[in-house]
Amino acid sequence: MDARGIRGANQSGRDSQEDEQQAMMMEDLRRGPWTVEEDLTLINYIANHGEGRWNSLARSAGLKRTGKSCRLRWLNYLRPDVRRGNISLEEQLLILELHSRWGNRWSKIAQHLPGRTDNEIKNYWRTRVQKQAKQLKCDVNSKQFKDAMRYLWMPRLVERIQAASTSTTAATPTSAMAAPAPMATATTSIGSMVFPPSLASMGGSDFGGVQVNATPSYSTPENSCTTASSDSFGAQVSPVSDLAEYYPIPVGGDNPNPDYYQPNNGQGCYQESSLTSPCGFFNYGLDFQACMDQNNTQWLDDGDTSDSLWNMEDVFYSEQQPASINNYY
DNA sequence: AACATATTCAACCGCACTGGG
DNA sequence: GCCCAGTGCGGTTGAATATGT
């Protein structure tokens, strides 16, 4: 047992926990990374006997692991419906939104991201979001950082989702993008979000009833969206988000979770062209009539994937100096 | 190529809660 | 009401890997 094992003196369940620790030493239980053999043993056992009662499961399966360890391994890694890989733009947006609503309620947030585990979301938050706050020398819970997330990062994600969607439909005859200007005009509704005047020129959006004539230019690297490997905070993201791929839930699906997102049938969240939060925290009714000509869509395919979509320090600076905001958009 | 530093994420921890006996 | 096993959650760690010098 390491130093972290030291606990307080009058904790409920404390004895059982000490027993667990003791058992670990007595029974020579394994810890650390799981081997392929252990994984297979666990998978096979659960396939035959189901999950639950993890301590007895661990013993019955012949695994020299604690029940906790087995449960964690199964839920976070071995479960067949666990999604691995890059976090899509939509997922990032959802994480930001739900976190702003619920805070560090990772498991609750994870319920709304099918296939993602609380651990994964937590790691995403810590490594990507908190890192940015740290670099900016501000607290992740500070109003400044939250505002930047809400007013800048999230709208930008919406734009990128729009752009990605637009780019995927651009090739179809019916989507003859007649965008004449080098500016993409995207109308984005984010129901309860009210943007400060200084940002009102930023997003092509109707945020919280404030019609924002936001027409971001996509012509510069600084405001280009990165699509292949890096999100605005350097996160690995999917270049194109196909929600049908991620959320293959039938309309009126039978997920017992009442909070579970359903495809947009009037109460759900995602449709091909809209994003709606589960609780209507805010509502991304994306109007994908954003017109982007070839030049405007080019950036989606350009390979600069290495850096930020926008530099947070620049964003903060621009927030304080609205006059200069167009330097960044 | 070698080393240092940064980043990622699986796994662990303590703690709280629940339900059965 | 108490005890205890089981479970779940959020926070933290550290090995592996990536990146920079």
Side-chain angles (χ1 to χ4, degrees), chain A residues 149-198:
Chain A
M149 271 202 319
R150 181 176 304 176
Y151 300 140
L152 298 170
W153 188 8
M154 293 166 77
R156 181 54 57 135
L157 277 172
V158 172
E159 288 171 14
R160 291 173 61 189
I161 293 166
Q162 288 179 325
S165 172
T166 302
S167 72
T168 60
T169 59
T172 67
T174 54
S175 61
M177 293 299 170
M183 303 289 221
T185 303
T187 301
T188 303
S189 298
I190 301 185
S192 63
M193 296 173 68
V194 178
F195 282 68
S198 63

Side-chain angles (χ1 to χ4, degrees), chain A residues 109 124 322:
Chain A
I109 293 170
Y124 167 77

Side-chain angles (χ1 to χ4, degrees), chain A residues 30-295:
Chain A
R30 276 181 48 79
R31 58 202 303 178
W34 280 62
T35 65
V36 175
E37 290 75 18
E38 286 177 313
D39 282 347
L40 289 173
T41 300
L42 183 57
I43 290 169
N44 287 332
Y45 189 89
I46 289 175
N48 291 326
H49 301 91
E51 57 183 276
R53 301 188 63 80
W54 293 101
N55 283 328
S56 59
L57 183 153
R59 281 192 296 270
S60 301
L63 288 161
K64 292 185 181 301
R65 296 276 182 175
T66 64
K68 266 187 164 184
S69 182
C70 292
R71 174 183 166 271
L72 202 66
R73 183 64 177 172
W74 173 253
L75 292 178
N76 285 351
Y77 201 87
L78 299 176
R79 240 183 342 142
D81 58 332
V82 167
R83 280 189 58 208
R84 314 203 65 75
N86 298 342
I87 293 178
S88 69
L89 296 172
E90 289 84 355
E91 287 173 317
Q92 291 178 66
L93 184 62
L94 203 47
I95 291 169
L96 296 181
E97 176 192 338
L98 296 179
H99 187 276
S100 68
R101 182 178 178 79
W102 292 325
N104 296 356
R105 302 287 304 278
W106 307 118
S107 62
K108 188 164 182 163
I109 293 170
Q111 288 174 8
H112 295 285
L113 288 125
R116 298 294 186 187
T117 66
D118 54 353
N119 212 30
E120 196 170 11
I121 293 167
K122 183 170 55 183
N123 281 333
Y124 167 77
W125 185 265
R126 292 188 62 82
T127 59
R128 314 303 213 286
V129 181
Q130 289 196 348
K131 183 183 76 178
Q132 284 299 317
K134 188 179 173 185
Q135 285 177 354
L136 292 165
K137 297 182 177 64
C138 68
D139 191 281
V140 74
N141 295 315
S142 68
K143 184 176 186 302
Q144 184 187 35
F145 190 76
K146 285 178 176 175
D147 283 350
M149 271 202 319
R150 181 176 304 176
Y151 300 140
L152 298 170
W153 188 8
M154 293 166 77
R156 181 54 57 135
L157 277 172
V158 172
E159 288 171 14
R160 291 173 61 189
I161 293 166
Q162 288 179 325
S165 172
T166 302
S167 72
T168 60
T169 59
T172 67
T174 54
S175 61
M177 293 299 170
M183 303 289 221
T185 303
T187 301
T188 303
S189 298
I190 301 185
S192 63
M193 296 173 68
V194 178
F195 282 68
S198 63
L199 302 176
S201 63
M202 295 175 47
S205 305
D206 177 4
F207 294 138
V210 177
Q211 182 62 39
V212 181
N213 180 22
T215 52
S217 166
Y218 295 106
S219 59
T220 64
E222 287 78 17
N223 55 26
S224 290
C225 118
T226 57
T227 60
S229 67
S230 182
D231 74 351
S232 56
F233 280 1
Q236 299 292 309
V237 298
S238 299
V240 175
S241 303
D242 181 356
L243 287 164
E245 175 190 345
Y246 299 150
Y247 306 106
I249 308 140
V251 173
D254 54 3
N255 192 301
N257 182 351
D259 288 337
Y260 199 84
Y261 276 24
Q262 296 295 332
N264 196 338
N265 55 4
Q267 55 187 332
C269 67
Y270 286 137
Q271 252 185 349
E272 184 178 4
S273 62
S274 70
L275 295 170
T276 305
S277 73
C279 311
F281 175 60
F282 50 73
N283 191 346
Y284 295 76
L286 304 184
D287 178 356
F288 287 117
Q289 292 177 0
C291 299
M292 301 173 73
D293 63 12
Q294 293 279 349
N295 288 336

